[in-house]
């Protein structure tokens, strides 16, 4: 291929990653080279199922399509690029799984040493495999995510490692690009935005992005922000920290969100709300989304969908409006939880015989 042709392809067809696509809108030090795996540019998939149920135009922002399978990559490209630019040699994070997977990948790309603190026994095998294969040193902590975050902060304070949790404001700068992409695609902000909330960095980042676009007249409005937590880890709903958060939706198993204040500001300024859902509601929504729309997400990622189903069941009307639901991470992250409740994996074993297969399938 001629190099002119290659240039054209690069310029016109391949998404460059969120820093190069939106650099002028991001508060990162001028001239920071981008460490990127070409994250972002994720699809907005119309949910025919939820649109039909609600009379709204419902879109799914499918963040599982990011390089490491969750939206965390948007913030991580920013945090790791800046850490590298500023001379860091090692990076640390506390994680329920996806932050560590993402950090390890971007640290590998940048040539930094990744150190990960995770709650012992609470990380899915898929997420753990990602951190390990990308070369992270994984330390299991007796405690929950909130304990891990305290420890990560203290390590970064006392030792030469840079903290890349979402308490690092650079993370939110990267993550807000999801709001830009939605407005760029739809032509304006949606009326409602629904998403899962754990440490509350993402809801805060979306609000940052939407308000920035409105202030720049790139959008005429901002959406109402609706955040969803699991009943066993719902501090933003009750107003009190949860000392022992518990839910099968491990990515939102957080009792004391770091971005609590920013998330409350997003709720108040947008006229939105935070709502708690049972694990059963979340897991049922995960399964239905996979069957109805062909989108397989991890449990926590289905909280926004479960939230919409609950709102419809209790009489809220979205008719005539535009709704975006962020589904935050890929279903393959946690296949063990996904398959719970389905009984034996292989229902019927048959000889390699057409008649037997047809009978087992109920065709004959
Ligand atoms: C991190 C994460 C969340 C929660 O996002 P916060 O910014 O912590 O509120 C939800 N879903 C998935 C898949 C995640 O990885």
């Amino acid at each position: 291929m001629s190099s002119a042709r290659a240039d054209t392809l690069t310029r016109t067809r391949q998404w460059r990653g969120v820093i190069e696509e939106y650099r002028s809108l991001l508060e990162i030090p001028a001239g920071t080279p981008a460490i990127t795996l070409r994250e972002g540019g994720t699809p907005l998939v119309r949910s025919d199922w939820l649109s039909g149920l609600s009379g709204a135009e419902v879109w799914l922002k499918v963040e599982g399509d990011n390089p490491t399978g969750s939206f965390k990559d948007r913030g991580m490209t920013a945090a790791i690029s800046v850490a590298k630019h500023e001379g860091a040699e090692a990076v640390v994070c506390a994680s329920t799984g996806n932050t560590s997977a993402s950090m390890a990948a971007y640290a590998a790309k940048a040539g930094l040493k990744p150190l990960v603190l995770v709650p012992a026994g609470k990380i899915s095998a898929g997420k753990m495999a990602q951190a390990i294969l990308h070369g992270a040193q994984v330390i299991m902590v007796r405690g929950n995510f909130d304990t891990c975050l305290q420890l990560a902060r203290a390590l970064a304070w006392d030792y030469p490692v840079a903290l890349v949790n979402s308490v690092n404001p650079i993370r939110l700068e990267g993550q807000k690009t999801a709001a830009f992409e939605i407005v760029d695609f739809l032509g304006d902000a949606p009326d409602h935005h629904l998403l899962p909330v754990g440490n509350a960095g993402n809801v805060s980042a979306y609000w940052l992005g939407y308000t920035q676009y409105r202030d720049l007249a790139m959008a005429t409005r901002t959406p109402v922000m609706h955040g969803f937590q699991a009943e066993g880890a719902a501090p933003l709903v009750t107003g009190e920290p949860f000392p022992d958060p518990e839910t099968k939706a491990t990515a939102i198993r957080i009792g004391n969100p770091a971005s609590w204040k920013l998330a409350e500001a997003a709720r108040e300024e947008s006229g939105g709300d935070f709502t708690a859902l049972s694990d059963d509601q979340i897991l049922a929504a995960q399964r239905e989304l996979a069957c109805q729309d062909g989108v397989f997400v991890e449990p926590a990622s289905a909280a926004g969908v479960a939230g919409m189903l609950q709102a419809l069941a209790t009489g809220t009307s979205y008719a005539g409006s535009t709704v975006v639901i962020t589904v935050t991470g890929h279903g393959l992250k946690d296949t063990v939880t996904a398959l719970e409740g389905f009984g034996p994996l292989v229902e019927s074993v048959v000889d390699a015989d057409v008649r037997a297969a047809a009978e087992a399938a109920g065709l004959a």
Side-chain angles (χ1 to χ4, degrees), residues 164-359:
V164 298
N165 278 104
S166 58
V167 294
N168 176 340
I170 304 286
R171 282 273 307 279
L172 303 196
E173 287 300 306
Q175 285 178 207
K176 75 184 181 186
T177 58
F180 298 162
E181 289 174 21
I182 288 165
V183 176
D184 290 344
F185 181 87
L186 295 175
D188 204 344
D191 298 298
H192 298 275
H193 191 123
L194 286 67
L195 78 171
V197 174
N199 215 23
N202 211 26
V203 65
S204 306
Y206 270 101
W207 186 242
L208 203 60
Y210 280 128
T211 51
Q212 187 173 350
Y213 250 28
R214 180 203 55 202
D215 294 347
L216 292 168
M218 298 290 288
T220 67
R221 60 185 181 214
T222 53
V224 180
M225 301 298 297
H226 305 277
F228 297 92
Q229 301 204 287
E231 271 171 3
L236 287 163
V237 180
T238 65
E240 298 290 333
F242 277 51
D244 297 305
E246 202 41 80
T247 169
K248 286 191 182 288
T250 51
I252 53 173
R253 185 176 173 272
I254 292 174
N256 193 6
S259 296
W260 193 311
K261 290 265 153 49
L262 287 174
E264 282 191 333
R267 170 179 62 185
E268 275 158 36
E269 291 167 24
S270 78
D273 41 53
F274 293 121
T275 306
L277 301 161
S278 71
D279 278 9
D280 285 348
Q281 284 178 293
I282 292 171
L283 296 173
Q286 177 196 25
R287 289 197 280 270
E288 240 190 314
L289 183 66
C291 288
Q292 300 276 0
D293 281 332
V295 176
F296 182 27
V297 302
E298 70 168 282
S301 305
V305 172
M308 177 142 198
L309 293 173
Q310 164 158 294
L312 292 173
T314 54
T316 305
S317 174
Y318 288 99
S321 62
T322 304
V323 177
V324 171
I325 306 178
T326 300
V327 288
T328 44
H330 204 286
L332 291 174
K333 291 271 192 178
D334 182 4
T335 54
V336 173
T337 308
L339 288 173
E340 271 175 20
F342 278 89
L345 188 53
V346 179
E347 288 282 332
S348 32
V349 179
V350 299
D351 291 330
D353 171 76
V354 175
R355 181 83 199 164
E359 268 171 22

